[in-house]
């Protein structure tokens, strides 16, 4: 099916969407992009809650092409506002004009037609608020389909947009909704065929998303604070990150359900048991044994170290003393050998030793053992003894060796002095303290002996043997092992104790968690409910996208906006405004419901400055006519106050343009000059016979005057040509002739209308003031000469008008306390006829 309007695309798209989006699209279509705040809130609630919402009934908008529809007749029987009952509009096949001032009931007839044919925006049909009981809505509507098929509808406001009539076009203020949108400082986008609905729907989706995001923040603020101190880590993290899943919720609910008074009793029992178990201080015992073990190990190491040092030093002392004795013996022998030198003075001096050494070196170089190196004489036997004594003297090192040995003994002596034999005996070994003290004594005694040997430099004391305390070391090792066994047992006991305490603590923790959850039950229930709603909102936000609608907008723009539409739009603008606004097609990217192909208005100034309210309406009318021409439809067109805010020139151009259209026209207006343009047109005529049979040439124009006869009687239809004083007076006389006479109200109304018509016909002589005239209604200067009347006539007219207005129209106290009798009505009619017959 070919689509001719944005609504066609949207209806087809909406049927495949979620309930809330379908409703949003349908409401946007029905209101032409002007959904009420209350309805938006209802749709938002459905969007937010993912609940179903009932969408209004909408059929596909594309009508049956070339169905050749003609509107015939509309009869309001009852129920719509304060419209008079049994009022009938008989539509001209060409042009029907319904002229009435604001408040006359004109808009109520337009609303009825708008709902029957499915206009741009759904209109509210309200009952008569002045009636004590609401009357049922009943409107009979007749139309011709094709050349001969006449159909009738009984409309009661339960359906709009009848399928046969959807081809009818409607122009009213709702057509102006967003048809022209500012684009840049000097451009505006024209949106024909309801294309403004796409960005409108996208904007409302964005509005829902923003509102949902704001609600999400508010929901987060409403989350109760849950004390997680006693809860397991899994629950803590879930509450803190607001990610409590359904399984966790089930577990929490089970824990809450498991709570009873026994929980508190059990917690008390566990606390007592923990206290009892904790009183056994195993850690202190372990520490005590470990300290004892360290002390025993230290004592053992001390014994081992001291014993080792003493034995090693003993060996060294014995060796050095033995060496010292040998050196001393050797030194004595050498002394005996060099006794021949005893008479030489200072043989121990360095000078002497240097002298002897040099002589020896010299004699070795001479290689002559018989020559004395000192006196250079032949060596005799006695001399040989002296020379040998010199050699012994020079080669003797026993003295230095003795000194070295003694020096080393002195070093050992100092080491022995530094040895600290004694130390504290651990308390743990106090039972065998005497033994360890004996060991100390043995070691100390050896220390003393060694010092004596060194002091005497001999081994005159009894022989020294290594001290053996291996039994003591072994006994200490055994004690250390025993301590380790005790510590291990205590550690096992401590593990058992800790396991027991941990088990009790875990039981207690579980019970405390149950109690904590139970005490926060109401808060947790509220938290879970709100958190579920938060997750639901987050899911909705993540799933909402306007991409599909934006793509659909692109498709609709590309298919509906054509060069033909652009050409027709330009031509209609010229016919209405006579100027040449720059109009062009523009290609743009798809974003947020704004699609690729657009019609753009341009000017050197900003669009806001160049287009007044009236000019914007002129652009809208040009676009509306361009749509109709582009679609090549001859279906009926209904206008509601189309020239409101237009200047006289554009209004006249528009009226002339309408007369040229081949379509059947129904025009609601309160503009007298706009009406005058039709009355003065040369291409048509005002029909006097509304029941058919008019043989005049040109287009048939029927004009109804719509009048209000009070708050409870509006929309009274009077053929324009019958709205004169004589017709009203004749009708009043006809009613007065009835027996019995009971129609005071209608007679009062007819006389009041007659007075108003006499003022126009007789007093003003049907002269239109200059400021209201146009080129088709120039001042009639000849008739102007006859304008004027006597003061007496003015007073009579005023008196009669006041009397029938007070007694008939307003239904006040005057109509009850001072009703108009038949005789008085007859006198009024006689007076008015006299004024009419005056020359």
């Amino acid at each position: 099916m070919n689509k001719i309007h944005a609504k066609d695309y949207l209806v087809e798209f909406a049927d495949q969407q979620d309930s809330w989006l379908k409703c949003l699209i349908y409401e946007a279509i029905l209101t032409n992009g002007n959904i009420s705040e209350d309805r938006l809130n209802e749709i938002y609630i459905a969007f937010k809650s993912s609940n179903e919402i009932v969408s209004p009934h909408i059929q596909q908008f594309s009508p049956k092409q070339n169905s050749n529809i003609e509107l015939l007749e509309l009869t309001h029987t009852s129920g719509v506002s304060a419209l008079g009952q049994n009022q009938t509009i008989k539509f001209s096949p060409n042009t029907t004009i319904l002229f009435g001032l604001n408040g006359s009931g004109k808009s109520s007839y337009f609303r009825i037609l708008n709902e029957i044919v499915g206009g741009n925006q759904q209109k509210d049909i309200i009952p008569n608020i002045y009636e004590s009981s609401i009357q049922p809505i009943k409107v009979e509507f007749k139309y011709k389909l094709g050349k001969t098929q006449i159909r009738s509808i009984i409309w009661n406001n339960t359906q709009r947009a009848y399928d046969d009539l959807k081809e009818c076009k409607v122009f009213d203020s709702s057509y102006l909704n967003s048809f022209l949108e500012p684009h840049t400082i000097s451009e505006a986008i024209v949106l024909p065929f309801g294309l403004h609905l796409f960005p409108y729907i996208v904007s409302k989706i964005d509005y829902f998303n923003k509102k949902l995001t704001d609600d999400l923040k508010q929901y987060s603020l409403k989350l109760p604070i849950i004390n997680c101190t006693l809860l397991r880590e899994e629950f803590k993290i879930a509450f803190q990150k607001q990610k409590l899943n359904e399984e966790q919720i089930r577990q929490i609910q089970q824990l809450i359900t498991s709570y009873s008074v026994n929980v508190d009793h059990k917690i008390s029992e566990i606390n007592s048991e923990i206290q009892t178990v904790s009183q056994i201080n195993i850690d202190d015992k372990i520490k005590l044994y470990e300290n004892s073990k360290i002390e025993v190990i230290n004592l053992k190491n001390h014994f081992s170290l001291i014993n080792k040092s003493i034995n090693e030093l003993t060996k060294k002392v014995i060796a050095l003393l033995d060496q010292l004795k040998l050196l001393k013996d050797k030194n004595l022998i050498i002394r005996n050998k060099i006794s021949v030198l005893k008479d030489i003075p200072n043989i121990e001096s360095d000078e002497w030793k240097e002298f002897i050494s040099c002589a020896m070196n010299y004699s070795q170089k001479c290689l002559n053992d018989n020559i004395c190196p000192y006196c250079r004489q032949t060596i005799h036997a006695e001399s040989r003894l002296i020379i040998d004594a010199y050699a012994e003297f020079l080669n003797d090192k026993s003295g230095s060796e003795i000194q070295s040995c003694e020096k080393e003994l002195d070093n050992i002596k100092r080491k022995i002095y530094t040895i600290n034999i004694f130390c504290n005996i651990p308390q743990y070994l106090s039972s065998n303290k005497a033994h360890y003290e004996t060991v100390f004594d043995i070691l100390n005694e050896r220390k003393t002996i060694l010092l004596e040997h060194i002091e005497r430099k001999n081994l005159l004391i009894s022989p020294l043997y290594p001290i053996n305390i291996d039994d003591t070391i072994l006994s200490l090792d055994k004690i250390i092992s025993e301590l380790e066994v005790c510590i291990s047992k205590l550690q096992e006991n401590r593990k058992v104790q800790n396991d027991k305490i941990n088990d009790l603590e875990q039981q207690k923790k579980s019970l405390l968690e149950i109690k904590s959850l139970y005490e926060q039950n109401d808060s947790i229930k509220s938290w879970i409910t709100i958190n579920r709603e938060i997750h639901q909102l987050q899911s909705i936000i993540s799933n909402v996208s306007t991409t599909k609608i934006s793509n659909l907008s692109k498709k609709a723009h590309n298919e509906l906006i054509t060069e033909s539409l652009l050409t027709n739009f330009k031509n209609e603008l010229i016919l209405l405004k006579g100027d040449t606004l720059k109009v062009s097609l523009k290609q743009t990217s798809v974003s947020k419901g704004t699609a690729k192909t657009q019609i753009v208005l341009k000017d050197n100034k900003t669009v806001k400055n160049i287009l007044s309210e009236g000019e914007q309406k002129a652009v809208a009318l040009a676009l509306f006519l361009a749509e109709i021409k582009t679609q090549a439809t001859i279906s009926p067109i209904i206008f509601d106050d189309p020239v409101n805010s237009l200047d006289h020139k554009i209004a006249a151009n528009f009226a002339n343009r309408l007369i040229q259209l081949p379509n059947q026209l129904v025009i609601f207006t309160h503009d007298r000059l706009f009406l005058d343009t039709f009355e003065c047109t040369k291409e048509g005529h005002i029909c006097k016979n509304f029941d058919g049979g008019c043989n005049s040439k040109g287009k048939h124009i029927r004009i109804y005057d719509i009048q209000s006869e009070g708050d409870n009687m509006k929309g009274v239809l009077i053929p324009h040509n019958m709205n004169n004083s004589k017709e009203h007076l004749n009708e009043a006389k006809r009613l007065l002739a009835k027996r019995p006479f009971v129609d005071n109200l209608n007679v009062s109304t007819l006389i009041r209308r007659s007075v108003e018509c006499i003022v126009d016909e007789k007093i003003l002589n049907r002269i239109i003031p200059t400021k209201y005239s146009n080129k088709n209604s120039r001042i009639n200067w000849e008739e102007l000469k006859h304008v004027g009347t006597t003061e007496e006539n003015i007073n009579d007219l005023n008196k009669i008008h006041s009397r029938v207005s007070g007694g008939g129209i307003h239904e006040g106290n005057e109509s009850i306390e001072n009703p108009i009798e038949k005789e008085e009505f007859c006198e009024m009619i006689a007076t008015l006829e006299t004024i009419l017959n005056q020359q």
Side-chain angles (χ1 to χ4, degrees), residues 15 51 175 405 430 466 483 520 551 572 587 626 730 739 796:
D15 289 338
N51 290 336
Y175 184 85
C405 186
S430 58
L483 285 170
Q520 300 181 85
N551 290 338
E572 294 297 339
Q587 302 295 317
N730 289 335
R739 298 289 186 276
D796 287 342

Side-chain angles (χ1 to χ4, degrees), residues 448-492:
T448 303
I449 292 172
L450 288 176
L451 290 173
E452 286 183 22
H453 278 70
I454 293 171
E455 187 67 28
R456 296 180 179 183
K457 294 186 175 58
N458 59 51
L459 293 172
L460 298 178
I461 307 174
S462 58
L464 298 176
Y465 299 101
I467 299 172
N468 188 349
I469 59 171
D470 290 345
D471 290 343
T472 301
I473 298 300
L474 288 174
S475 67
L476 290 175
D477 282 336
K478 183 177 180 182
I479 292 171
I480 292 170
S481 297
E482 291 173 353
L483 285 170
E484 289 176 344
V485 171
C486 291
I487 291 170
S488 177
K489 288 182 178 179
L490 286 172
Q491 287 176 337
E492 290 178 2

